[in-house]
Amino acid sequence: MVWFYTFLVVLGTFLAVLGITSTNVAIPKMIAPLQTDIYGIEWVAISYIVATAITIIVFNFASARLGLKNTYILGLALFSLGSALSGQASSLEEMIVFRFIQGIGEGLLIPSSQSILFNLFPPEKRGTAMGFYAMAVAFAPGLGPTVGGYMVEFLSWRWIFYMNLPVVVLLLPVAYLMLPDLGERRKLPFNFFSFLFLSLASIAFIVFLSKGESWGWFYSMKTFTAFCVFVASLLLFALSELISRHTLIDYSVFKEPNYLYALITFVVVYGFVFFQVIYLLPIYLESFKGVPTFQTGTTFLGFALLLGTFALIGGRLSDRTEPKLLLLISQSVLFLTLFFFLSHADYYTPRWKITLYMCFIGVAMGFFFAPLTALAFKSLKPHQIPIGTALYNYARLIGASIATSLATYTLETHRALHFDQINELRSALSSSAFVSYMQKLSGFEAFRYKVALGQFQNLLAGTYAVQDAFRLASYMSILSLIITITFLLITRRRRA
């Protein structure tokens, strides 16, 4: 029955992640129906991330009161309700509210599903459990763009919010009747002021990162205000935790070296390496190479299949060998793929090569997710698991927000830099003699030729900027290698 319980939990998480990744493809298509613009539609994503962050903060308290089973069911129900309502949204304001409800659902669903699995399996089998979890959940981000792209092109973006509902309607009663009530129920004291200050800090930081580029960073008073609110709220949170008898966070989890290592490595690799690739690659394919949305999604299919397969293999191996050795393999493959292959992809690189490179990324991340997660929670006590999963997922969320902001900043600034660098070549190609020659050769008028040349210059500058971002991600993978080797040496010294 343990594997049946695992299937119920993983299925709910898979449906949620599939919905999230499919929605990202549809966001540009929502602009006209919701009567907004590119800057207004950004608040749809911001509201979702903010809701998830706030909910994750109180997950430990909620799961202690409700139990892990009820928290999981509540999260799945809220996520599905928000999804159904989002499909009916007729204005930007409605979509922001409904996506906020959906974000609350994810904030309860993801940590509770991981906590349930850690309670179902003993420490020596958690690697296998996390392998199965990662196999299913990691396949969703690869399938999401494909499914979302198909629905956007051939049906409607609203169907993305409806596709999971039939399965959820069946899953909810089965999970309620069949899942055991796991986890220790206890009345934890709730530090309201710490929660308030950390929530304000999270909201301000996410808004600062998400809107900083469009607002002009510190040249804008709005960006500066958001950053000041973040710093002030964070300081008040620290003060509240210091003077309170009951803290919001159980800091004893940071005394476990494996958990601390896993948390740091997760932020570096997931946020600054993996998420940058997942965020930038669709921009590179669709905006700079003109690949249709559905075909862009299919580029990720091989990656998703290999990630899922090697996640299961990596999970099994992490129960039998040192997980950090598997992580060294993962980080090495990430560096080699990013530095020697993806960072050299340009406007002329065929799509099949990008698909092949992403297969290497899939293998690397398959050996990353399950071993790292199993290592993180291997030495935690049962009562530490809920707060451990909450902090782990909070780090995932903040890391992804930082990575998105960094990738956007790198893309925009380096595109402008490369655009200026190409100007010298463009000036040579725009000379009167050359323009006259090209006009005779192609039949273009001089003005049309210069416009076409300028558009091509912009495409080349964009691809060079993506190369720079991938190169930066490869440097972060080297940093993760250094962190892993350092912790591995520390662990072996302690054993000796």
Side-chain angles (χ1 to χ4, degrees):
M1 289 297 286
V2 170
W3 284 106
F4 178 70
Y5 301 149
T6 303
F7 171 76
L8 293 178
V9 171
V10 170
L11 178 60
T13 310
F14 171 80
L15 293 173
V17 176
L18 180 65
I20 296 164
T21 52
S22 301
T23 303
N24 293 337
V25 177
I27 283 180
K29 304 294 183 181
M30 301 178 190
I31 294 175
L34 298 180
Q35 301 172 14
T36 184
D37 54 24
I38 189 66
Y39 299 109
I41 205 69
E42 287 179 344
W43 290 104
V44 174
I46 291 172
S47 68
Y48 182 89
I49 297 171
V50 164
T52 307
I54 294 173
T55 310
I56 286 175
I57 293 170
V58 297
F59 169 75
N60 189 40
F61 175 79
S63 62
R65 292 294 181 96
L66 300 175
L68 292 174
K69 169 187 169 180
N70 292 334
T71 306
Y72 168 77
I73 292 172
L74 178 61
L76 183 60
L78 285 174
F79 183 89
S80 304
L81 174 63
S83 185
L85 292 173
S86 296
Q88 294 290 318
S90 57
S91 67
L92 178 64
E93 292 76 17
E94 286 184 356
M95 181 61 80
I96 289 172
V97 172
F98 297 153
R99 288 283 284 168
F100 191 87
I101 296 172
Q102 206 177 12
I104 293 173
E106 189 201 333
L108 296 173
L109 178 65
I110 303 295
S112 61
S113 62
Q114 289 181 329
S115 297
I116 288 172
L117 291 180
F118 287 130
N119 277 273
L120 284 173
F121 291 87
E124 63 273 11
K125 292 186 178 180
R126 285 176 184 168
T128 303
M130 282 299 100
F132 185 76
Y133 180 87
M135 179 184 68
V137 174
F139 183 64
L143 188 62
T146 307
V147 174
Y150 179 85
M151 290 189 172
V152 166
E153 285 194 21
F154 301 106
L155 296 173
S156 166
W157 61 266
R158 296 184 184 274
W159 279 98
I160 291 175
F161 294 106
Y162 299 145
M163 64 179 177
N164 292 336
L165 297 181
V167 181
V168 172
V169 168
L170 296 174
L171 179 60
L172 278 173
V174 174
Y176 180 77
L177 294 172
M178 299 296 293
L179 278 178
D181 196 4
L182 297 167
E184 180 185 351
R185 288 204 192 190
R186 50 203 175 110
K187 290 186 178 181
L188 286 179
F190 184 65
N191 191 324
F192 174 76
F193 289 105
S194 289
F195 165 71
L196 176 64
F197 295 137
L198 186 56
S199 297
L200 286 174
S202 301
I203 294 170
F205 190 55
I206 290 168
V207 170
F208 168 76
L209 291 173
S210 302
K211 300 294 287 184
E213 183 68 31
S214 59
W215 283 349
W217 295 110
F218 289 105
Y219 295 102
S220 165
M221 183 56 67
K222 290 185 287 187
T223 313
F224 182 72
T225 302
F227 184 76
C228 290
V229 171
F230 160 67
V231 173
S233 300
L234 196 62
L235 291 174
L236 288 171
F237 165 73
L239 180 63
S240 175
E241 292 288 272
L242 286 171
I243 66 176
S244 299
R245 288 182 58 193
H246 303 289
T247 58
L248 181 68
I249 297 173
D250 180 5
Y251 296 96
S252 64
V253 293
F254 297 114
K255 294 179 181 178
E256 297 292 338
N258 285 334
Y259 182 81
L260 183 62
Y261 157 76
L263 198 65
I264 296 170
T265 305
F266 189 62
V267 171
V268 173
V269 175
Y270 178 84
F272 294 100
V273 181
F274 175 68
F275 198 84
Q276 286 213 58
V277 174
I278 296 299
Y279 173 74
L280 286 171
L281 204 59
I283 296 175
Y284 161 75
L285 290 171
E286 293 183 43
S287 300
F288 301 139
K289 287 180 66 66
V291 179
T293 305
F294 178 63
Q295 291 184 19
T296 297
T298 59
T299 306
F300 288 87
L301 276 180
F303 150 80
L305 288 169
L306 286 170
L307 199 160
T309 303
F310 279 87
L312 188 59
I313 296 171
R316 292 290 297 270
L317 289 175
S318 66
D319 287 332
R320 303 175 184 180
T321 186
E322 172 60 63
K324 293 189 185 73
L325 296 177
L326 299 175
L327 294 169
L328 283 175
I329 296 173
S330 167
Q331 292 155 358
S332 300
V333 174
L334 279 174
F335 168 72
L336 293 173
T337 305
L338 284 164
F339 189 79
F340 290 103
F341 298 108
L342 273 176
S343 64
H344 295 280
D346 56 23
Y347 180 78
Y348 301 99
T349 304
R351 192 165 64 90
W352 69 264
K353 282 191 176 182
I354 304 299
T355 304
L356 178 63
Y357 300 158
M358 286 305 296
C359 287
F360 293 139
I361 298 290
V363 173
M365 295 310 295
F367 274 138
F368 176 79
F369 281 123
L372 187 74
T373 308
L375 179 68
F377 296 93
K378 193 172 185 178
S379 54
L380 293 188
K381 299 176 178 63
H383 72 274
Q384 293 177 315
I385 288 177
I387 186 62
T389 54
L391 292 172
Y392 201 72
N393 283 280
Y394 184 81
R396 169 183 63 84
L397 198 69
I398 298 301
S401 298
I402 296 173
T404 303
S405 179
L406 178 63
T408 304
Y409 177 79
T410 304
L411 185 65
E412 294 302 322
T413 54
H414 285 234
R415 180 162 60 173
L417 176 66
H418 288 299
F419 191 91
D420 291 338
Q421 289 174 343
I422 300 173
N423 261 339
E424 296 180 10
L425 177 62
R426 183 185 173 186
S427 298
L429 295 179
S430 299
S431 63
S432 57
F434 193 86
V435 169
S436 177
Y437 172 75
M438 290 301 297
Q439 184 179 353
K440 290 179 182 179
L441 189 65
S442 63
F444 277 12
E445 298 175 0
F447 176 75
R448 288 181 61 194
Y449 168 72
K450 288 184 177 181
V451 169
L453 193 61
Q455 291 174 341
F456 186 62
Q457 177 182 349
N458 189 51
L459 292 177
L460 286 181
T463 57
Y464 292 152
V466 171
Q467 289 179 358
D468 293 340
F470 285 152
R471 197 170 292 110
L472 177 61
S474 72
Y475 298 151
M476 297 306 294
S477 64
I478 292 179
L479 175 62
S480 70
L481 273 168
I482 294 171
I483 294 170
T484 300
I485 292 170
T486 302
F487 272 86
L488 188 60
L489 292 175
I490 292 171
T491 303
R492 291 193 169 181
R493 260 185 206 175
R494 287 184 177 179
R495 287 177 182 173

